[in-house]
Amino acid sequence: MANIVLGVGASHSTLMNTHWEQTTHKAEAQRFRDGLYAARDRIAAARPDVVILLGSNHFRGFWLDLIPPFTLGVGECIASGESGTPEGPQQVDIAMARHLADSLVEGGRFDPAFSARLQIDHGQSHAIQYLLAGLDVPIVPLVVNVFAPPLPTFERCAEFAVALREAVAAYPADSRVAVIASGGLSHRLPWPDWRDPHGDDEDFMVRAWLDGRENWADYDVRRRQIIRAAEAAISPEFDNRVLELFSLGRAAELGGYGTADLEDAAGNGAQELRTWLMMAAMLDYIPGERLAYEVVPEWLTGMGVTVLDPARQPVAR
């Protein structure tokens, strides 16, 4: 059977690629990047045969014409390549992906969407770029809806992850599996609730999310300007508490957050922590190790990295 050998949670920001030279908090930015590289070395040392990659989608592969809560990539996977992230086809473990989809449906608790030609964006490709650099390992991409309400609850995400863990364990091949969660920590994007936009910028964003599937480039310049004009809304107290929960093996407590409560505490971008919770659930909430945390206002985000490693757990007497 397959065995989960490592879990990683890591923040992402395309501004790390496009605005490195303009970043004034350079020391903090470099320490975060070093944390990513340290996590990459831990992944390499774990020797995974496949990486289950949990991430969000920022309205480049999914649009308001269809937003499933959970979508498994079970065939081709195309990275959009925005802002210097990887572009084009990505290597997918199709046998593992289809086994997971079949097992989840046949288990009777979940009916995830699936895609035989999944488009991902930096919500997952940022992790490929930095955490899988130089590693010849296929992925199984899982996109979680965190930006188009109504969102799957944190509790539901945790339940889905447990079912996913069981499906991994039932895989007939002797495969080593790493799980990467991309997203978070606290940050606020200048994105509206699509159901109730206010003002020209929010109306523009919703129109882009509705119509952008065929002509995204027509919206990209102004969209980027709106994002770059946003002020950072980072909550170090919240972020450090989240990282502490992971270090203590108490990440399950994130399941108690409601969508509105989390946005009030840490911004709409913190909704991406659903992927971190799912990663922890797949590792059975073992205690983790904090590799980095930095406040980088130019990137609008509290940037963190944590690792959950079954091989480094205390041996029970």
Side-chain angles (χ1 to χ4, degrees), residues 127-167:
I128 294 172
Q129 182 176 19
Y130 289 98
L131 296 176
L132 300 181
L135 304 182
D136 184 21
V137 57
I139 64 172
V140 173
L142 174 65
V143 178
V144 182
N145 172 33
V146 302
F147 287 125
L151 309 181
T153 66
F154 272 79
E155 183 178 13
R156 187 64 170 165
C157 288
E159 293 169 351
F160 184 91
V162 171
L164 197 58
R165 181 180 72 208
E166 294 169 355

Side-chain angles (χ1 to χ4, degrees), residues 4 67 127 153 243 263:
I4 298 177
I67 302 284
T153 66
L243 291 169
E263 181 163 350

